[in-house]
Amino acid sequence: MPEVCRLVVLISGSGSNLQAFIDSIARGELRASIVGVVTNKASATGLQRAQAANIPTEIIDHTQFATREQFDIELCARVQSYRPDLVILAGFMRILTPAFLRPFAGKLLNIHPSLLPKYPGLHTHQRALDAGDNAAGATVHFVTEQLDGGPAILQARVPILAGDNAEQIAARVLQVEHRIYPQAAQWFAENRVQLYNDRAVLDGAPLPNTGFIYQD
Ligand code: GAR
């Protein structure tokens, strides 16, 4: 890994996780540099967070491409142009095809708002409520061709309280997302975590399918 790990962050929405990265770098906890923020949505309010931090931004409107793959080829080229060491999906709400995934294999992280392997896909908090779960959470994982199924690195759990709705759970989960996502990126930047033979390996030891369990 070069001296400063170069990050490109992909967003589609509010970018609160992007802000957590910006703040963690400013505090000196995450020793990395965000060299670009790319979105598929011109309306993503996270763009303002990037601009306020003087990070170059790009909009690639997926509706302008005939196929998912054509969008992914362009996205890949634009992300490659920043020469990233690590690509961070932070609320990037597009399913990616191998055209994007293969060139970034082992260098692509996502955060998913559930206790993976539970609830891949959408509406995770409502599904946890409907199942009567007493906990929800978030998981940082390497991205592979299996949707929300790549090897987990770090997972944090929050309680589901009596009377909670999905929005209340989402807000509680976001708070822990903001701690674990920069932490997992720092492990990568320090070469402590790698994708090896389809497993996430931390300090030389394969992680369980939940990833490392985060403790406050
Ligand atoms: C986060 O909760 C993240 O886990 C989720 O979108 C939100 C983005 O928030 N990601 C997914 O659902 C990916 N499938 P943010 O834009 O404020 O960082």
Side-chain angles (χ1 to χ4, degrees), residues 17 21 24 30 108-117 136-143 148 150-158 173 175-188 190 192-194 199-203 205-216:
N17 277 288
F21 274 77
S24 180
L30 172 56
L108 182 58
L109 303 186
N110 183 42
I111 191 157
H112 182 73
S114 80
L115 297 170
L116 289 173
T139 310
V140 180
H141 63 95
F142 281 109
V143 180
D148 300 326
I153 299 170
L154 186 54
Q155 180 171 92
R157 169 180 287 258
V158 299
V173 168
Q175 290 182 9
V176 293
E177 291 190 29
H178 300 160
R179 289 189 225 141
I180 64 173
Y181 209 178
Q183 169 72 75
Q186 175 58 23
W187 283 350
F188 186 92
E190 291 173 307
R192 289 184 58 190
V193 73
Q194 293 99 17
R199 298 289 296 269
V201 173
L202 177 66
D203 296 333
L207 285 161
N209 67 349
T210 55
F212 187 92
I213 303 296
Y214 177 82
Q215 311 283 353
D216 246 335

Coordinates of all heavy atoms in Angstrom, one line a residue, residues 17 21 24 30 108-117 136-143 148 150-158 173 175-188 190 192-194 199-203 205-216:
N17 N -22.5 8.5 5.3 CA -21.3 7.6 5.5 C -20.0 8.3 4.9 O -18.9 8.3 5.4 CB -21.5 6.2 4.9 CG -22.2 5.3 5.8 OD1 -21.6 4.9 6.8 ND2 -23.5 5.0 5.6
F21 N -16.4 9.4 6.7 CA -15.1 9.2 6.2 C -14.3 10.5 6.2 O -13.2 10.6 6.7 CB -15.1 8.6 4.8 CG -15.2 7.1 4.7 CD1 -16.4 6.5 4.9 CD2 -14.0 6.4 4.4 CE1 -16.4 5.1 4.9 CE2 -14.1 5.0 4.3 CZ -15.3 4.4 4.6
S24 N -13.5 11.3 9.8 CA -12.5 10.3 10.4 C -11.1 10.7 9.9 O -10.1 10.6 10.7 CB -12.9 8.9 10.0 OG -11.9 8.0 10.6
L30 N -8.6 7.7 10.3 CA -8.4 7.0 9.0 C -7.3 7.7 8.2 O -7.5 8.9 7.9 CB -9.8 7.1 8.3 CG -9.7 6.5 6.8 CD1 -9.2 5.1 6.7 CD2 -11.1 6.6 6.2
L108 N -12.9 -3.4 -3.2 CA -14.2 -2.8 -3.2 C -15.0 -3.2 -2.0 O -15.2 -4.4 -1.7 CB -14.9 -3.3 -4.5 CG -16.3 -2.8 -4.8 CD1 -16.3 -1.2 -5.0 CD2 -16.8 -3.4 -6.1
L109 N -15.4 -2.2 -1.2 CA -16.1 -2.4 0.0 C -17.5 -1.8 -0.1 O -17.7 -0.8 -0.7 CB -15.4 -1.8 1.3 CG -14.0 -2.2 1.6 CD1 -13.6 -1.5 2.9 CD2 -13.8 -3.7 1.6
N110 N -18.4 -2.5 0.7 CA -19.8 -2.0 0.8 C -20.2 -2.0 2.2 O -19.7 -2.8 3.0 CB -20.8 -2.9 0.0 CG -22.2 -2.3 0.0 OD1 -22.4 -1.1 -0.1 ND2 -23.1 -3.2 0.1
I111 N -21.2 -1.1 2.6 CA -21.8 -1.3 3.9 C -23.3 -1.6 3.7 O -23.9 -1.0 2.8 CB -21.6 -0.1 4.8 CG1 -22.1 -0.4 6.2 CG2 -22.3 1.2 4.3 CD1 -21.5 0.4 7.3
H112 N -23.8 -2.6 4.4 CA -25.1 -3.1 4.2 C -25.9 -3.0 5.5 O -25.3 -3.4 6.5 CB -25.2 -4.5 3.7 CG -26.5 -5.0 3.4 ND1 -27.3 -4.6 2.3 CD2 -27.3 -5.8 4.1 CE1 -28.5 -5.1 2.4 NE2 -28.5 -5.9 3.4
P113 N -27.1 -2.4 5.5 CA -27.8 -2.2 6.8 C -28.5 -3.4 7.4 O -29.7 -3.3 7.6 CB -28.7 -1.0 6.5 CG -29.0 -1.2 5.0 CD -27.8 -1.8 4.4
S114 N -27.8 -4.5 7.6 CA -28.3 -5.6 8.3 C -27.2 -6.4 8.9 O -26.0 -6.2 8.6 CB -29.1 -6.5 7.3 OG -28.3 -7.3 6.6
L115 N -27.6 -7.4 9.7 CA -26.6 -8.3 10.3 C -26.4 -9.4 9.3 O -27.0 -10.5 9.5 CB -27.1 -8.8 11.7 CG -27.3 -7.7 12.7 CD1 -28.1 -8.3 13.9 CD2 -26.0 -7.2 13.2
L116 N -25.6 -9.2 8.3 CA -25.4 -10.2 7.3 C -24.8 -11.5 8.0 O -24.1 -11.3 8.9 CB -24.4 -9.7 6.2 CG -25.0 -8.7 5.2 CD1 -23.9 -8.1 4.3 CD2 -26.1 -9.2 4.4
P117 N -25.2 -12.7 7.5 CA -25.8 -13.0 6.3 C -27.4 -12.8 6.3 O -28.0 -13.2 5.3 CB -25.4 -14.5 6.0 CG -25.2 -15.0 7.4 CD -24.6 -13.9 8.2
A136 N -30.7 -5.3 15.3 CA -30.5 -4.9 13.9 C -29.0 -4.5 13.8 O -28.3 -4.6 14.8 CB -31.4 -3.8 13.4
G137 N -28.6 -4.1 12.6 CA -27.2 -3.7 12.6 C -26.7 -3.4 11.2 O -27.5 -3.2 10.3
A138 N -25.4 -3.4 11.0 CA -24.8 -3.1 9.7 C -23.5 -3.9 9.6 O -22.9 -4.3 10.6 CB -24.5 -1.6 9.6
T139 N -23.2 -4.2 8.4 CA -22.0 -5.0 8.1 C -21.2 -4.4 6.9 O -21.8 -4.1 5.9 CB -22.5 -6.5 7.6 OG1 -23.4 -7.0 8.6 CG2 -21.3 -7.4 7.5
V140 N -19.9 -4.3 7.1 CA -19.0 -3.9 6.1 C -18.5 -5.2 5.4 O -18.0 -6.1 6.2 CB -17.8 -3.1 6.6 CG1 -16.9 -2.7 5.4 CG2 -18.3 -1.8 7.3
H141 N -18.5 -5.2 4.1 CA -18.1 -6.5 3.5 C -17.4 -6.2 2.1 O -17.6 -5.1 1.5 CB -19.2 -7.4 3.2 CG -20.3 -6.9 2.3 ND1 -20.3 -7.2 1.0 CD2 -21.4 -6.1 2.5 CE1 -21.4 -6.6 0.4 NE2 -22.0 -5.9 1.3
F142 N -16.5 -7.1 1.7 CA -15.9 -7.0 0.4 C -17.1 -7.3 -0.6 O -18.0 -8.1 -0.3 CB -14.9 -8.1 0.2 CG -13.5 -7.8 0.8 CD1 -13.1 -8.4 1.9 CD2 -12.7 -6.8 0.2 CE1 -11.8 -8.1 2.5 CE2 -11.5 -6.5 0.8 CZ -11.1 -7.1 1.9
V143 N -17.0 -6.6 -1.7 CA -18.1 -6.8 -2.7 C -17.6 -7.9 -3.7 O -16.5 -7.8 -4.3 CB -18.4 -5.5 -3.5 CG1 -19.5 -5.7 -4.5 CG2 -18.8 -4.4 -2.5
D148 N -24.8 -8.4 -1.9 CA -24.7 -8.3 -0.5 C -24.2 -9.6 0.1 O -24.5 -9.9 1.3 CB -26.1 -7.9 0.2 CG -26.6 -6.6 -0.3 OD1 -25.8 -5.7 -0.6 OD2 -27.8 -6.5 -0.5
G150 N -20.8 -10.8 -0.3 CA -19.3 -10.9 -0.2 C -18.9 -11.1 1.2 O -19.6 -10.7 2.2
P151 N -17.6 -11.6 1.4 CA -17.1 -11.8 2.7 C -17.2 -10.6 3.7 O -16.7 -9.5 3.3 CB -15.7 -12.3 2.5 CG -15.7 -12.8 1.1 CD -16.7 -12.0 0.3
A152 N -17.7 -10.8 4.9 CA -17.9 -9.8 5.8 C -16.6 -9.5 6.6 O -15.8 -10.4 6.9 CB -19.0 -10.1 6.8
I153 N -16.4 -8.2 6.9 CA -15.2 -7.7 7.6 C -15.5 -7.3 9.0 O -14.9 -7.7 10.0 CB -14.6 -6.5 6.8 CG1 -14.1 -7.0 5.4 CG2 -13.4 -5.9 7.6 CD1 -13.7 -5.8 4.5
L154 N -16.6 -6.4 9.1 CA -16.8 -5.8 10.5 C -18.3 -5.6 10.6 O -19.0 -5.1 9.6 CB -16.1 -4.5 10.6 CG -16.1 -3.7 11.9 CD1 -15.6 -4.6 13.0 CD2 -15.2 -2.5 11.7
Q155 N -18.9 -6.0 11.7 CA -20.4 -5.9 11.9 C -20.7 -5.3 13.3 O -20.0 -5.6 14.3 CB -20.9 -7.3 11.9 CG -22.4 -7.4 12.1 CD -23.0 -8.8 11.8 OE1 -23.1 -9.6 12.7 NE2 -23.3 -9.1 10.5
A156 N -21.6 -4.4 13.3 CA -22.1 -3.8 14.5 C -23.6 -4.0 14.7 O -24.3 -4.0 13.8 CB -21.8 -2.3 14.5
R157 N -24.0 -4.2 16.0 CA -25.3 -4.6 16.3 C -25.9 -3.5 17.2 O -25.2 -2.9 18.0 CB -25.2 -5.9 17.1 CG -26.3 -6.4 17.8 CD -25.9 -7.7 18.5 NE -25.8 -8.8 17.5 CZ -26.7 -9.7 17.3 NH1 -27.8 -9.8 18.1 NH2 -26.5 -10.7 16.4
V158 N -27.2 -3.2 17.0 CA -27.9 -2.3 17.8 C -29.2 -2.9 18.3 O -29.7 -3.8 17.5 CB -28.2 -0.9 17.1 CG1 -27.0 -0.2 16.7 CG2 -29.2 -1.1 16.0
V173 N -29.0 2.5 13.4 CA -28.0 1.7 12.7 C -27.0 2.7 12.0 O -25.8 2.4 12.0 CB -28.7 0.8 11.6 CG1 -27.6 0.2 10.7 CG2 -29.4 -0.3 12.3
Q175 N -25.8 5.4 13.0 CA -24.8 5.9 13.9 C -23.6 4.9 14.0 O -22.5 5.3 14.1 CB -25.4 6.1 15.3 CG -26.3 7.3 15.3 CD -26.9 7.5 16.7 OE1 -26.5 6.9 17.7 NE2 -27.8 8.4 16.8
V176 N -23.9 3.6 14.0 CA -22.8 2.6 14.1 C -22.2 2.4 12.7 O -21.0 2.1 12.7 CB -23.3 1.2 14.7 CG1 -23.6 1.4 16.2 CG2 -24.4 0.6 14.0
E177 N -22.9 2.6 11.7 CA -22.3 2.5 10.3 C -21.1 3.5 10.3 O -20.1 3.2 9.7 CB -23.3 2.9 9.2 CG -24.4 1.8 9.0 CD -25.2 2.1 7.8 OE1 -24.7 2.7 6.8 OE2 -26.4 1.7 7.8
H178 N -21.4 4.7 10.8 CA -20.4 5.8 10.8 C -19.1 5.5 11.5 O -18.1 6.1 11.3 CB -21.0 7.1 11.2 CG -22.2 7.5 10.4 ND1 -23.1 8.4 10.8 CD2 -22.5 7.1 9.2 CE1 -24.0 8.6 9.9 NE2 -23.7 7.8 8.9
R179 N -19.2 4.5 12.5 CA -18.0 4.1 13.2 C -17.3 2.9 12.5 O -16.1 2.9 12.4 CB -18.4 3.7 14.6 CG -18.7 4.9 15.4 CD -18.9 4.5 16.9 NE -20.1 5.2 17.4 CZ -21.0 4.6 18.2 NH1 -20.8 3.5 18.7 NH2 -22.1 5.3 18.6
I180 N -18.1 2.0 12.1 CA -17.4 0.7 11.6 C -16.9 0.9 10.1 O -15.9 0.2 9.8 CB -18.3 -0.5 11.6 CG1 -19.6 -0.4 10.7 CG2 -18.7 -0.8 13.1 CD1 -20.4 -1.7 10.7
Y181 N -17.5 1.8 9.3 CA -17.0 1.8 7.9 C -15.6 2.4 7.8 O -14.7 1.8 7.2 CB -18.1 2.5 7.1 CG -18.1 2.0 5.6 CD1 -19.0 2.6 4.7 CD2 -17.3 1.1 5.1 CE1 -19.1 2.2 3.4 CE2 -17.3 0.6 3.8 CZ -18.2 1.2 3.0 OH -18.3 0.8 1.6
P182 N -15.4 3.6 8.4 CA -14.0 4.1 8.4 C -13.0 3.2 9.1 O -11.9 3.0 8.6 CB -14.1 5.4 9.1 CG -15.5 5.8 9.0 CD -16.3 4.6 9.1
Q183 N -13.5 2.5 10.1 CA -12.6 1.5 10.8 C -12.1 0.4 9.9 O -10.9 0.0 9.8 CB -13.3 0.9 12.0 CG -12.6 -0.2 12.7 CD -11.4 0.2 13.4 OE1 -11.5 0.8 14.5 NE2 -10.2 -0.1 12.9
A184 N -13.1 -0.2 9.1 CA -12.8 -1.3 8.2 C -11.8 -0.7 7.1 O -10.9 -1.4 6.7 CB -14.0 -1.8 7.6
A185 N -12.1 0.5 6.6 CA -11.2 1.1 5.6 C -9.8 1.3 6.2 O -8.8 1.1 5.4 CB -11.8 2.4 5.1
Q186 N -9.7 1.6 7.4 CA -8.3 1.8 8.0 C -7.6 0.5 8.1 O -6.4 0.4 7.8 CB -8.5 2.5 9.4 CG -7.2 2.6 10.2 CD -6.1 3.4 9.5 OE1 -6.4 4.2 8.6 NE2 -4.8 3.2 9.8
W187 N -8.3 -0.6 8.4 CA -7.7 -1.9 8.4 C -7.2 -2.3 7.1 O -6.1 -2.8 6.9 CB -8.7 -3.0 8.8 CG -9.0 -3.0 10.3 CD1 -8.4 -2.4 11.3 CD2 -10.1 -3.8 10.9 NE1 -9.0 -2.7 12.5 CE2 -10.0 -3.6 12.3 CE3 -11.1 -4.6 10.4 CZ2 -10.9 -4.2 13.2 CZ3 -12.0 -5.2 11.3 CH2 -11.9 -5.0 12.7
F188 N -7.9 -1.9 6.0 CA -7.5 -2.2 4.6 C -6.2 -1.3 4.3 O -5.3 -1.8 3.8 CB -8.6 -1.8 3.6 CG -8.3 -2.2 2.2 CD1 -8.6 -3.5 1.7 CD2 -7.6 -1.3 1.4 CE1 -8.3 -3.8 0.4 CE2 -7.2 -1.6 0.1 CZ -7.6 -2.9 -0.4
E190 N -4.1 -0.2 6.3 CA -2.9 -0.8 7.0 C -2.5 -2.2 6.6 O -1.6 -2.8 7.2 CB -3.3 -0.9 8.5 CG -3.5 0.4 9.2 CD -4.0 0.2 10.6 OE1 -5.0 -0.5 10.8 OE2 -3.4 0.7 11.6
R192 N -4.2 -4.8 7.1 CA -4.5 -5.8 8.1 C -5.6 -6.7 7.5 O -5.7 -7.8 8.0 CB -5.0 -5.1 9.3 CG -3.9 -4.4 10.1 CD -4.4 -3.8 11.4 NE -5.0 -4.8 12.2 CZ -5.7 -4.6 13.3 NH1 -5.9 -3.3 13.7 NH2 -6.2 -5.5 14.1
V193 N -6.4 -6.2 6.6 CA -7.5 -7.0 6.1 C -7.4 -7.2 4.6 O -7.0 -6.2 3.9 CB -8.9 -6.4 6.5 CG1 -9.3 -5.2 5.7 CG2 -10.0 -7.5 6.3
Q194 N -7.6 -8.4 4.1 CA -7.6 -8.7 2.7 C -8.7 -9.7 2.3 O -9.1 -10.4 3.2 CB -6.2 -9.4 2.3 CG -5.0 -8.5 2.4 CD -4.2 -8.9 3.7 OE1 -4.5 -9.9 4.3 NE2 -3.3 -8.0 4.1
R199 N -12.4 -15.4 1.1 CA -12.6 -15.2 2.6 C -12.0 -13.8 2.9 O -11.0 -13.4 2.3 CB -11.9 -16.2 3.4 CG -12.3 -17.6 3.2 CD -13.7 -17.9 3.8 NE -13.8 -17.8 5.2 CZ -13.6 -18.8 6.1 NH1 -13.2 -19.9 5.7 NH2 -13.8 -18.6 7.4
A200 N -12.6 -13.1 3.9 CA -12.0 -11.9 4.5 C -11.1 -12.4 5.5 O -11.4 -13.2 6.4 CB -13.1 -11.0 5.0
V201 N -9.8 -11.9 5.5 CA -8.8 -12.3 6.4 C -8.3 -11.1 7.2 O -8.0 -10.1 6.6 CB -7.6 -13.0 5.6 CG1 -6.4 -13.3 6.5 CG2 -8.1 -14.2 4.9
L202 N -8.4 -11.2 8.5 CA -7.9 -10.1 9.4 C -6.7 -10.5 10.2 O -6.8 -11.5 10.9 CB -9.0 -9.6 10.3 CG -8.7 -8.5 11.3 CD1 -8.4 -7.2 10.6 CD2 -9.8 -8.3 12.3
D203 N -5.6 -9.8 10.0 CA -4.4 -10.1 10.8 C -4.0 -11.6 10.5 O -3.6 -12.3 11.5 CB -4.5 -9.8 12.3 CG -4.7 -8.3 12.5 OD1 -4.3 -7.5 11.7 OD2 -5.4 -8.0 13.5
A205 N -5.9 -14.2 9.9 CA -6.9 -15.2 10.3 C -8.2 -15.0 9.6 O -8.7 -13.9 9.6 CB -7.1 -15.2 11.8
P206 N -8.8 -16.1 9.0 CA -10.1 -15.9 8.3 C -11.1 -15.4 9.3 O -11.2 -15.9 10.4 CB -10.4 -17.3 7.8 CG -9.2 -18.1 8.0 CD -8.3 -17.4 9.0
L207 N -12.0 -14.5 8.8 CA -13.1 -14.0 9.7 C -14.3 -14.9 9.5 O -14.5 -15.5 8.5 CB -13.4 -12.6 9.3 CG -12.4 -11.5 9.7 CD1 -12.5 -10.2 8.9 CD2 -12.5 -11.3 11.2
P208 N -15.2 -14.9 10.6 CA -16.4 -15.7 10.4 C -17.4 -15.0 9.5 O -17.1 -13.8 9.0 CB -17.0 -15.6 11.9 CG -16.4 -14.4 12.5 CD -15.0 -14.3 11.9
N209 N -18.5 -15.6 9.1 CA -19.4 -15.0 8.1 C -20.1 -13.8 8.5 O -20.8 -13.1 7.7 CB -20.3 -16.1 7.4 CG -21.3 -16.5 8.4 OD1 -21.3 -16.2 9.6 ND2 -22.3 -17.3 7.9
T210 N -20.0 -13.4 9.8 CA -20.5 -12.1 10.3 C -19.5 -11.0 10.2 O -19.8 -9.9 10.4 CB -20.9 -12.2 11.7 OG1 -19.8 -12.7 12.5 CG2 -22.1 -13.2 11.9
G211 N -18.2 -11.4 9.9 CA -17.1 -10.5 10.1 C -16.8 -10.3 11.6 O -17.3 -11.1 12.4
F212 N -15.8 -9.5 11.9 CA -15.4 -9.2 13.3 C -16.6 -8.4 13.9 O -17.2 -7.5 13.3 CB -14.2 -8.3 13.2 CG -13.5 -8.1 14.6 CD1 -12.5 -8.9 15.0 CD2 -13.9 -7.0 15.4 CE1 -11.9 -8.7 16.3 CE2 -13.3 -6.8 16.6 CZ -12.3 -7.6 17.0
I213 N -16.9 -8.8 15.2 CA -18.1 -8.2 15.8 C -17.5 -6.9 16.6 O -16.7 -7.1 17.5 CB -18.8 -9.1 16.8 CG1 -19.3 -10.4 16.1 CG2 -19.9 -8.4 17.5 CD1 -20.3 -10.1 15.0
Y214 N -18.0 -5.8 16.2 CA -17.6 -4.5 16.7 C -18.1 -4.3 18.2 O -19.3 -4.6 18.4 CB -18.1 -3.4 15.9 CG -17.8 -2.0 16.4 CD1 -16.6 -1.4 16.1 CD2 -18.8 -1.2 17.1 CE1 -16.3 -0.1 16.5 CE2 -18.5 0.0 17.5 CZ -17.3 0.6 17.2 OH -17.0 1.9 17.7
Q215 N -17.2 -3.9 19.1 CA -17.6 -3.6 20.4 C -17.4 -2.1 20.7 O -16.3 -1.7 20.3 CB -16.8 -4.4 21.5 CG -16.7 -5.9 21.2 CD -18.0 -6.6 21.6 OE1 -18.9 -6.1 22.2 NE2 -18.0 -7.9 21.3
D216 N -18.3 -1.5 21.3 CA -18.2 0.0 21.6 C -17.0 0.2 22.5 O -16.7 -0.5 23.4 CB -19.4 0.5 22.3 CG -20.1 1.5 21.4 OD1 -19.5 2.1 20.6 OD2 -21.4 1.6 21.6

